[in-house]
């Protein structure tokens, strides 16, 4: 493939104080875009934006809040004249098997990952359609293809987000907007550290994990190439996608992957007496 030709865009990134969102913001700026970093963590997002220089601006956004979304779009307009690309990245998990999570923890995951992201898409649909262009990139998860033990409600939100994303993209097929959905596998961020601390999430360690910068490359490339959907890794990701369709196959292979994940996790855990 030839070089990706960059045209400067204004990119609004959610959950940009840490992890994948921070890596997306940093790379987008390197590629000469301007970025509005948003996050629920005010101190962290201000710090992160400051460290990225004059092509970065910051705003506080809890993606669960409709008013917050309106303010974020207004902040982007004030800073850089409007939003060309929304990277809907913010997400959370609470680790543990479904029977152990409190009802409020199940609700939190749904309210952030699913309802918060839906609120962002709906805000962007209205504002981007009014301006006549825009690109919505949703950062979802490989768990949107495969139900996993230790991730019941998280997986449910990612399945739901993928369904919502493609439904809207089809509804809007004759409009001016572009839609991309990107599915990271295990990625070395604070979220994976949280999972490392809980043996019920062992399956996350069955395969190699990615650096957030690798996921960011796919997201920032997508600003130019506008793929419909990106899976990781490109080939094995497609196999996983198929496995999710056959529940009997799933029930056989997932416990095998989980056992491998447990062994890998044991190897990765800091050993007593070391500062790893
Ligand atoms: N890390 C992984 O292994 C992995 C794998 C697949 C998908 N993902 C997805 O990638 C996205 C980014 O995850 P990450 O690994 O970078 O996580 P992370 O925990 O490192 O960072 C998430 C960021 O989102 C922010 N955030 C949390 N709740 C928010 C809210 N209500 N409103 C706005 N911001 C909020 C946090 O403050 C944090 O800065 C998430 O949607 C996650 O589900 C992550």
């Amino acid at each position: 493939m030839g070089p990706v030709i960059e045209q400067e865009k204004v990119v609004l990134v959610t959950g940009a104080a840490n992890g994948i969102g921070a890596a997306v913001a940093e790379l987008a700026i390197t590629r000469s875009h301007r970025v509005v970093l948003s996050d629920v963590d005010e101190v962290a997002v201000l710090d992160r934006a400051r460290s990225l220089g004059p092509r970065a601006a910051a705003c506080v956004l809890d993606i669960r809040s409709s008013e917050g979304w309106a303010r974020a779009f207004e902040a982007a307009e004030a800073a850089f004249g409007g939003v060309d690309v929304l990277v809907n990245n913010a997400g959370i998990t609470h680790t543990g098997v479904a029977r152990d999570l409190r009802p409020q923890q199940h609700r939190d995951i749904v309210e952030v990952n699913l309802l918060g992201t839906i609120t962002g898409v709906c805000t962007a649909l209205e504002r981007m359609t009014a301006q006549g262009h825009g690109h919505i990139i949703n950062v979802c998860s490989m768990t949107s293809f495969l139900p996993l033990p230790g991730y019941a409600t998280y997986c449910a939100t990612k399945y739901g987000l993928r369904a919502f994303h493609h439904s809207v993209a089809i509804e809007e097929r004759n409009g001016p907007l572009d839609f991309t959905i990107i599915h990271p596998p295990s990625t070395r961020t604070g979220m994976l550290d949280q999972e490392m601390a809980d043996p019920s999430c062992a399956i996350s360690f069955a395969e190699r994990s990615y650096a957030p910068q690798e996921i960011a490359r796919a997201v920032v490339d997508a600003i130019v190439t506008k793929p419909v959907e990106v899976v990781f890794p490109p080939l094995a990701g497609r196999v996983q996608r198929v496995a999710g369709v056959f529940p009997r196959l799933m029930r056989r292979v997932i416990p095998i992957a989980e056992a491998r994940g447990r062994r890998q996790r044991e190897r990765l855990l800091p050993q007593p007496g070391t500062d790893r």
Side-chain angles (χ1 to χ4, degrees):
M1 209 174 74
V4 172
I5 307 298
E6 305 286 347
Q7 195 192 354
E8 180 189 307
K9 304 274 186 197
V10 177
V11 187
L12 171 60
V13 185
T14 67
N18 296 291
I20 294 170
V24 167
E26 190 175 346
L27 182 62
I29 285 173
T30 307
R31 300 254 190 105
S32 78
H33 300 300
R34 288 176 294 170
V35 178
V36 180
L37 293 91
S38 69
D39 204 284
V40 70
D41 184 335
E42 179 171 4
V43 174
V45 79
L46 289 174
D47 277 358
R48 181 74 65 183
R50 249 193 307 271
S51 75
L52 295 176
R55 304 183 76 78
C59 76
V60 180
L61 168 61
D62 181 334
I63 64 165
R64 292 170 293 186
S65 158
S66 307
E67 298 75 32
W69 273 104
R71 282 196 299 273
F73 272 79
E74 278 146 27
E77 201 154 297
F80 299 134
V83 178
D84 301 311
V85 182
L86 167 64
V87 179
N88 240 332
N89 161 78
I92 61 163
T93 193
H94 289 299
T95 64
V97 295
R99 66 158 71 213
D100 289 342
L101 293 194
R102 295 189 303 280
Q104 187 57 47
Q105 291 180 305
H106 289 288
R107 271 198 292 274
D108 286 346
I109 302 171
V110 175
E111 282 170 9
V112 176
N113 295 2
L114 187 56
L115 295 174
T117 308
I118 289 175
T119 307
V121 170
C122 293
T123 310
L125 280 179
E126 192 187 332
R127 291 180 180 249
M128 288 177 165
T129 304
Q131 74 189 7
H133 74 277
H135 184 182
I136 298 174
I137 301 177
N138 282 319
V139 177
C140 192
S141 168
M142 286 307 292
T143 63
S144 65
F145 301 112
L146 212 50
L148 298 179
Y151 290 86
T153 300
Y154 180 87
C155 283
T157 63
K158 298 297 185 176
Y159 260 74
L161 176 57
R162 180 171 185 266
F164 174 80
H165 174 95
H166 287 305
S167 300
V168 171
I170 295 166
E171 287 169 2
E172 299 293 327
R173 65 191 175 282
N174 297 321
L177 307 190
D178 295 298
F179 297 87
T180 297
I181 189 160
I182 294 183
H183 301 289
S186 291
T187 308
R188 295 186 295 275
T189 67
M191 189 177 279
L192 200 64
D193 292 342
Q194 200 183 337
E195 292 161 1
M196 174 59 91
D198 187 335
S200 72
C201 296
I203 197 155
S204 276
F205 302 93
E207 305 291 340
R208 93 159 171 95
S209 62
Y210 282 62
Q213 291 75 14
E214 293 176 270
I215 312 302
R217 201 172 314 129
V219 174
V220 178
D221 283 352
I223 293 174
V224 178
T225 58
K226 300 180 178 168
V228 169
E229 184 155 50
V230 180
V231 297
F232 284 86
L235 187 60
R238 287 192 170 79
V239 175
Q240 272 184 41
R241 198 154 52 155
V242 172
V245 176
F246 300 105
R248 280 183 195 281
L249 174 67
M250 244 190 287
R251 287 199 196 177
R252 276 221 296 275
V253 299
I254 288 183
I256 297 169
E258 192 180 26
R260 187 167 64 234
R262 269 198 292 272
R263 290 192 299 274
Q264 297 272 85
R265 178 178 173 275
E266 288 297 320
R267 276 199 283 274
L268 293 167
L269 272 175
Q271 301 304 310
T274 70
D275 57 5
R276 185 150 65 99

